[in-house]
Amino acid sequence: MFPPVKPVSVVVTQRQLEWLDHRRAQGSISRSAVLRIVLDRLIQQEQEQAQVAVTKPTDGQ
C-alpha cells in the first residue's frame, strides 16, 4: 500500500490529453499512472544531469 500523498492539480493541453487517452486506450493504463511514469522519468533525468554536472571537470583543470 502506498503512503498517503497530497493531491496535485495538473493542467494539460488538448494535445497532451489526446496523447494520454491514446496511451490509456492502448494498454488500459490510467491517466494518473501515465503521469506518474512520466514524472518518475523526468526526476531520474534531472538527477542524472545533476550528477554529470558535479562530476564534469570545470574549464582550466
Side-chain angles (χ1 to χ4, degrees), residues 3-59:
V5 294
K6 294 180 181 178
V8 175
S9 289
V10 177
V11 178
V12 296
T13 65
Q14 184 62 36
R15 180 176 177 224
Q16 292 166 332
L17 184 59
E18 289 169 1
W19 181 87
L20 284 169
D21 286 342
H22 177 73
R23 299 296 292 178
R24 185 174 52 97
Q26 283 184 338
S28 299
I29 190 168
S30 69
R31 289 179 187 169
S32 59
V34 171
L35 289 171
R36 284 192 301 272
I37 291 167
V38 170
L39 287 171
D40 283 343
R41 288 184 183 167
L42 286 171
I43 291 168
Q44 182 179 1
Q45 285 177 348
E46 185 175 280
Q47 290 172 337
E48 289 170 357
Q49 289 172 354
Q51 187 173 8
V52 168
V54 169
T55 58
K56 186 177 180 181
T58 60
D59 289 341

